[in-house]
Amino acid sequence: MYSEIQRSSDRGHASSPVQVDLRSDTVTKPTAAMYDRMVRAPVGDDGLDGDPTVRVLEETAAGILGKEAGLFVPSCTMANLLATLVHVQRNDQVVLEARAHMYMSERGSATFTNAFYVPVAGTDGAMDLDRFVDALQGGSSRLRTALVSVETSHNGSGGTVLPLDHMAAVQGLSEERGIPVHLDGARLFNAAIALGVEAAAITRFATSVSLCLCKGLSAPTGAILAGSAGQITRARQLRRMIGGQQRQAGIMAAAGLEAVTAMGQRLLEDHGRARRLSERLNDHHEGLTATFPQTNIVQVDVEASGRSAAEWVEGLEARSVLVRAISRTRLRCVTHRHIRDDDVERAAQAFGSVASAFADDRARA
Ligand SMILES: *Cc1c(COP(=O)(O)O)cnc(C)c1O
């Protein structure tokens, strides 16, 4: 029965024609092995005695991430919020790169943290270090910097991977001033595979780290926050305060265990297909410029086509290819487990077909 669920969900959408869904790696469904583990997982009340499968996931993930302790949370957004709450007092500032997810998409968390978020301009997700030092010192506001945050792979910059020497420099400059560094590692495993290193070789440059289980790693839901035993004890109290404690969460943690132990290696395939998609778009389509991806995210600049990103999204959707507009002139395509070689080809052809349709429109006008 579970393998049937798996088979029917494997291609994402039940309706025909089958869509090529490049909107995000969050659309990935659980694997058959995840369903099997979920069925067999021992569970308990994580608010009372603790859920045994959650405990195993927290210990296993902490080990993989090279930290003392781990905490299972419903989302990576919550993991980042808890890390901030652990380190930051009212009126402190958090310094981070200007296109970081924690700045672009999550800074509404200021409602709960009462902190100021100070964006530092960067290149490919790496902060300019001179500006970073200026920001650490509080600028003219003279606020205390209580937390620095870095992100790898870097979502907003097109899945770029921070060079380890950059991470070491950020950590060194922060540590000198007694400031902890949090790593938003939602797609940390993509970064590790791209660099050819273990995840722990990246997380050593941060005090705490968050990892998303439900992106390329394909778990249905959840994230891990890992750090020192003291930080995680505090984060566990805070998680309860904000309603993030879940009872028989072992069912989800079981899928998470499969995600952290078995799903990292295959991300390399996604990276290969992202490169292939980028090459196809750059080679064959005038009016489109695709970034050369380091991981599984391709950004496509459509400005030279004379059409908006929203018009491209619509044209592609009519050809059963789903992508997202991230600005007026940019699209984002993300490869993942349900995207195969022929899907990349279909996507490239759909881009070509939309480009021809736009050209015909121009000729008629
Ligand atoms: C997706 C993402 C998040 C948020 O993850 P959720 O589990 O959806 O809350 C945080 N940071 C980065 C870099 C992300 O890409």
Side-chain angles (χ1 to χ4, degrees):
M1 176 191 173
Y2 294 96
S3 59
E4 271 164 38
I5 295 172
Q6 169 57 19
R7 263 197 300 281
S8 67
S9 69
D10 218 20
R11 295 287 301 196
H13 291 261
S15 58
S16 62
V18 176
Q19 289 175 316
V20 178
D21 193 345
L22 295 165
R23 289 173 302 168
S24 178
D25 45 9
T26 54
V27 303
T28 45
K29 307 283 168 75
T31 64
M34 285 177 185
Y35 280 119
D36 286 342
R37 277 195 188 225
M38 290 163 84
V39 174
R40 289 199 310 265
V43 293
D45 187 329
D46 203 35
L48 294 176
D49 321 311
D51 178 292
T53 306
V54 170
R55 257 186 234 164
V56 174
L57 171 62
E58 289 176 345
E59 278 168 27
T60 306
I64 292 169
L65 297 171
K67 300 296 173 200
E68 259 175 7
L71 184 69
F72 182 48
V73 289
S75 70
C76 201
T77 300
M78 188 183 287
N80 289 334
L81 171 62
L82 290 174
T84 309
L85 288 169
V86 163
H87 292 293
V88 171
Q89 304 294 316
R90 185 179 173 83
N91 296 343
D92 283 343
Q93 64 176 24
V94 177
V95 173
L96 71 187
E97 198 273 336
R99 279 189 285 180
H101 199 276
M102 281 178 67
Y103 185 69
M104 296 291 283
S105 305
E106 298 173 35
R107 70 178 183 273
S109 68
T111 305
F112 313 110
T113 64
N114 290 302
F116 294 89
Y117 293 76
V118 179
V120 175
T123 306
D124 292 342
M127 292 180 283
D128 177 274
L129 290 180
D130 290 331
R131 291 183 192 182
F132 172 58
V133 170
D134 288 344
L136 285 185
Q137 286 158 352
S140 49
S141 70
R142 300 280 191 276
L143 292 173
R144 182 182 84 113
T145 301
L147 184 66
V148 166
S149 179
V150 292
E151 177 180 323
T152 195
S153 68
H154 197 283
N155 189 343
S157 301
T160 50
V161 177
L162 294 180
L164 293 182
D165 58 358
H166 173 79
M167 291 190 66
V170 168
Q171 186 196 38
L173 292 164
S174 306
E175 219 166 51
E176 275 170 24
R177 295 163 174 83
I179 304 166
V181 177
H182 172 67
L183 169 59
D184 179 357
R187 293 190 181 82
L188 176 68
F189 282 27
N190 293 86
I193 281 281
L195 289 172
V197 301
E198 299 288 324
I202 302 177
T203 59
R204 55 192 276 259
F205 299 113
T207 325
S208 57
V209 53
S210 52
L211 169 72
C212 199
L213 303 173
C214 64
K215 291 190 169 157
L217 297 180
S218 300
T221 186
I224 293 288
L225 175 66
S228 71
Q231 285 165 8
I232 296 304
T233 299
R234 180 71 185 128
R236 200 177 288 280
Q237 294 166 339
L238 290 161
R239 184 187 66 172
R240 186 185 166 88
M241 281 174 54
I242 61 172
Q245 177 179 281
Q246 303 178 97
R247 301 297 178 174
Q248 282 75 36
I251 294 172
M252 291 306 163
L257 264 170
E258 181 71 13
V260 295
T261 57
M263 300 301 289
Q265 284 300 322
R266 65 152 307 287
L267 296 175
L268 209 50
E269 283 179 41
D270 300 342
H271 298 183
R273 293 194 178 103
R275 275 202 300 279
R276 176 84 190 128
L277 178 63
S278 160
E279 284 162 9
R280 289 283 280 110
L281 297 182
N282 283 325
D283 284 354
H284 300 289
H285 302 307
E286 272 177 51
L288 297 177
T289 311
T291 55
F292 186 80
Q294 295 176 25
T295 57
N296 67 329
I297 301 176
V298 182
Q299 289 185 356
V300 186
D301 191 318
V302 299
E303 180 149 32
S305 74
R307 297 296 189 120
S308 70
E311 288 173 293
W312 275 92
V313 168
E314 209 175 288
L316 289 166
E317 188 171 359
R319 290 158 181 82
S320 298
V321 173
L322 308 183
V323 304
R324 266 160 78 185
I326 54 169
S327 74
R328 206 180 46 77
T329 55
R330 269 194 174 224
L331 303 171
R332 188 184 83 151
C333 306
V334 184
T335 56
H336 52 75
R337 202 176 100 249
H338 306 310
I339 300 297
R340 300 162 196 194
D341 292 335
D342 57 324
D343 296 318
V344 170
E345 196 47 43
R346 282 180 55 201
Q349 282 168 11
F351 270 94
S353 165
V354 173
S356 311
F358 287 162
D360 289 349
D361 286 353
R362 266 199 306 279
R364 266 198 301 275

